[in-house]
Amino acid sequence: MKNILWILAGFLLLTSCSRTEYMVEGNSTIQTLDGKKLYLKAYKDNDLVDIDSSDVVHGKFSFSGTLDSVMMVSLFIDNECLMPFVLGPEDLSVHIGAARLYVTGSALNDTLYNFIRLKTRLDNQIAELPHKESQMIMDGVDEDVIMVRLNDEANRLAVQHDRLITSFITSNFNNVLGAGVFMILTSGYPYPVMTPQIEEILSKATPYFMNDVYVSKYIKAAKENMEQMGYGYDDTISEDSPTGASAMSESVPAE
């Protein structure tokens, strides 16, 4: 009997030691955030759930607690997502400004925000295309020339955009960033669907990535939806299939 009690005690000790403490200190230079409540949300049970909250007081806020494991979280105000980051054992610093939002304090967050910087740069170039068109019209450039030039540039940027996202996910299959950015990517779709980009990602996926709860549920739902729409899972999915283009343009906040 004593041996059993010692085993149980040891198990409880190991369980408690496996939990990770987190600490996040934040500052905001946006005055309208003062007095607001910020929430940390994470994917759980097929939904985003609150895991912590903090009031913004004189531009300062903080979160602290324990985790079962390192995870991707999102910082929300009301129903608006401000920014994603990785929550783990490192002490993190969050900055919210009118021009930049970023997190420092861990290697995974450095990797994530380097990706966001690159993606934001491409997003800005894509957003600039209508202005370029207007400027070319004002300069008297032939409409056919404008169409060819801007279509070529739009296609080039779209390819770079998709390659950046695909490369980032595949390079981070074995940590929380891969599944986390996959969730951000696919949350931009109106419903779970298989696209050429997702097919490429899955063709290289590791067991760690495929066993992620969100990833596995998304793939199952996407396959079922494609079958209902008349696309066999093994069929080649064309760029004209539903949501064939990347839907991540509005999913990651600018820094």
Side-chain angles (χ1 to χ4, degrees), residues 3-248:
N3 288 338
I4 294 176
L5 291 175
W6 278 112
I7 292 172
L8 289 174
F11 175 77
L12 291 173
L13 180 62
L14 288 173
T15 302
S16 63
C17 288
S18 67
R19 293 181 64 81
T20 299
E21 293 186 358
Y22 67 87
M23 173 64 71
V24 180
E25 297 288 345
N27 70 86
S28 167
T29 58
I30 302 176
Q31 292 183 354
T32 54
L33 285 185
D34 259 19
K36 301 287 188 179
K37 187 178 287 290
L38 301 180
Y39 296 88
L40 285 185
K41 295 177 180 282
Y43 181 80
K44 185 179 181 182
D45 298 329
N46 212 28
D47 197 8
L48 279 174
V49 299
D50 298 345
I51 63 171
D52 205 347
S53 64
S54 176
D55 294 316
V56 181
V57 180
H58 302 306
K60 304 293 184 182
F61 57 92
S62 64
F63 303 97
S64 62
T66 58
L67 298 169
D68 290 329
S69 60
V70 175
M71 64 171 62
M72 276 279 285
V73 298
S74 294
L75 184 62
F76 274 76
I77 178 170
D78 298 325
N79 293 320
E80 178 186 358
C81 178
L82 296 178
M83 59 201 299
F85 60 93
V86 178
L87 195 60
E90 302 91 351
D91 290 349
L92 302 180
S93 295
V94 175
H95 174 77
I96 301 175
R100 297 188 66 197
L101 298 89
Y102 59 90
V103 179
T104 59
S106 74
L108 287 177
N109 281 301
D110 290 345
T111 299
L112 175 62
Y113 275 84
N114 182 58
F115 161 72
I116 290 176
R117 279 191 291 272
L118 294 174
K119 183 186 173 301
T120 299
R121 189 180 304 162
L122 285 174
D123 288 341
N124 289 340
Q125 292 179 50
I126 293 171
E128 182 68 15
L129 292 178
H131 175 72
K132 282 189 174 183
E133 180 181 14
S134 298
Q135 186 62 52
M136 292 171 75
I137 292 174
M138 292 177 62
D139 291 342
V141 180
D142 183 79
E143 289 186 6
D144 291 337
V145 174
I146 294 174
M147 182 176 297
V148 170
R149 288 182 183 176
L150 293 186
N151 280 345
D152 286 347
E153 187 171 359
N155 290 333
R156 177 181 60 81
L157 291 173
V159 169
Q160 290 182 13
H161 189 271
D162 281 2
R163 284 179 178 171
L164 174 65
I165 296 169
T166 299
S167 175
F168 182 84
I169 293 174
T170 56
S171 297
N172 291 279
F173 272 148
N174 293 323
N175 63 60
V176 296
L177 292 178
V181 171
F182 181 84
M183 180 169 65
I184 295 173
L185 166 66
T186 54
S187 67
Y189 300 147
Y191 48 82
V193 65
M194 301 299 291
T195 69
Q197 183 181 27
I198 292 177
E199 288 278 9
E200 180 181 355
I201 291 169
L202 297 184
S203 71
K204 305 172 183 178
T206 63
Y208 181 94
F209 178 81
M210 295 297 288
N211 288 331
D212 178 82
V213 174
Y214 176 85
V215 172
S216 60
K217 287 185 176 181
Y218 179 90
I219 293 171
K220 182 177 183 295
K223 289 180 182 178
E224 292 173 353
N225 289 338
M226 296 302 288
E227 289 174 359
Q228 290 176 5
M229 290 186 291
Y231 295 95
Y233 175 63
D234 292 328
D235 292 345
T236 300
I237 301 172
S238 73
E239 294 292 344
D240 296 326
S241 62
T243 62
S246 171
M248 198 173 175

